[in-house]
Amino acid sequence: MALLELDGLTRRFGGIIAVDDVTMRVKAGEVRAVIGPNGAGKSTLFNLITGVVKPTTGAVRFDGEELTGLPPQRICQRGISRTFQLTALFPEMTARENARLAAQARHGRRWQPYGGGSVFADAERLGDAALERLGLTHVAQRPAGLLSHGDQRLLEVAMALAQGPRLLLLDEPTQGLSVEETEQAVATLAALLADGSMTVLLVEHDMEVVFRLARMITVLHRGAVIADGAPDVVKADAEVQKAYLGGLA
């Protein structure tokens, strides 16, 4: 059984169909990229999965459980975490504090005023482990706003990872990075995913990044799926090639 199931997922904004009847299955341990031109519906798809917006029609199921219509915090607590196109950090807090708060946010007793010491300690442990996995231990005590842009993007991944997700959604993790920062970020992510224990949905415009990280690719165009399969199959698809000539990058 698939870990994530999307069935006929559609989202309309007035007369605009942002996501058009998308059906997708993501197996546990799969790294799948979702690609397409600007306006194809990729970020809206992520917003539907994570409850930021509700579908007009269709359903989202996670490990057999219906998620459609649940608020984002409850979806996160069920094991789905994400990053964003625009880096979402607390710039005046240290990298360690950012990671700890992210871990703490998933806990059911996260803001309990009394007896919450164990929650804090657990969150700190999970945050520190996530920073280590992303190679950020050396900047743990630095304010997040003073980190390089590359380290800020990795810190956001660490924050998502600190929540212990079963499904990780990465929304353009290399956006705005230099060539050198992109290479470092991709190498770090590749090492993170190497053992096949994580399930990932990746939105990314840099096709070299996509082909290095993803084992399956779904192509969106005007909100609809036009191709789905292994990278070699997708690259050879005539409709995908036509979409590329029309501006897919």
Side-chain angles (χ1 to χ4, degrees):
M1 184 178 68
L3 182 65
L4 177 71
E5 301 173 89
L6 310 181
D7 283 310
L9 207 58
T10 298
R11 173 65 195 199
R12 296 184 177 91
F13 295 97
I16 298 173
I17 304 177
V19 172
D20 187 4
D21 194 28
V22 170
T23 293
M24 182 191 302
R25 301 287 185 268
V26 181
K27 297 178 182 179
E30 183 176 299
V31 179
R32 177 181 291 266
V34 179
I35 66 173
N38 290 331
K42 304 181 298 296
S43 289
T44 302
L45 185 68
F46 270 24
N47 288 339
L48 289 168
I49 295 169
T50 55
V52 176
V53 297
K54 295 181 180 180
T56 305
T57 58
V60 178
R61 285 185 293 275
F62 182 65
D63 199 17
E65 179 184 5
E66 183 82 21
L67 296 185
T68 314
L70 291 181
Q73 65 272 21
R74 290 184 63 188
I75 291 175
C76 175
Q77 288 171 0
R78 280 161 172 75
I80 299 179
S81 297
R82 69 172 295 182
T83 66
F84 295 84
Q85 282 188 34
L86 299 178
T87 306
L89 305 171
F90 297 101
E92 295 181 358
M93 291 184 170
T94 66
R96 190 182 193 212
E97 289 168 334
N98 272 270
R100 188 257 302 165
L101 279 174
Q104 191 172 345
R106 187 183 170 185
H107 201 287
R109 296 189 298 119
R110 55 194 178 279
W111 312 127
Q112 182 175 310
Y114 300 105
S118 63
V119 174
F120 185 94
D122 286 346
E124 198 164 67
R125 175 181 55 80
L126 291 169
D128 288 349
L131 291 175
E132 183 175 359
R133 292 184 71 182
L134 271 298
L136 296 173
T137 302
H138 67 292
V139 297
Q141 301 302 333
R142 294 190 62 189
L146 298 182
L147 300 182
S148 69
H149 185 53
D151 281 347
Q152 287 181 353
R153 298 300 283 177
L154 289 176
L155 174 57
E156 194 174 18
V157 177
M159 291 168 66
L161 199 64
Q163 296 175 334
R166 298 177 61 198
L167 173 64
L168 178 62
L169 278 58
L170 301 177
D171 197 348
E172 299 196 29
T174 67
Q175 179 173 281
L177 301 188
S178 67
V179 174
E180 292 78 11
E181 287 175 328
T182 296
E183 180 60 34
Q184 178 186 352
V186 171
T188 301
L189 291 173
L192 180 68
L193 304 176
D195 64 2
S197 63
M198 294 193 64
T199 309
V200 176
L201 268 183
L202 166 73
V203 166
E204 181 58 61
H205 277 95
D206 188 325
M207 296 311 300
E208 290 188 12
V209 174
V210 168
F211 291 130
R212 284 183 63 181
L213 295 179
R215 296 297 174 264
M216 297 290 289
I217 299 175
T218 297
V219 186
L220 293 183
H221 189 55
R222 297 179 180 175
V225 175
I226 63 169
D228 186 89
D232 289 345
V233 174
V234 169
K235 282 192 287 187
D237 187 279
E239 194 170 358
V240 173
Q241 292 177 7
K242 182 178 179 180
Y244 268 93
L245 291 174
L248 183 60

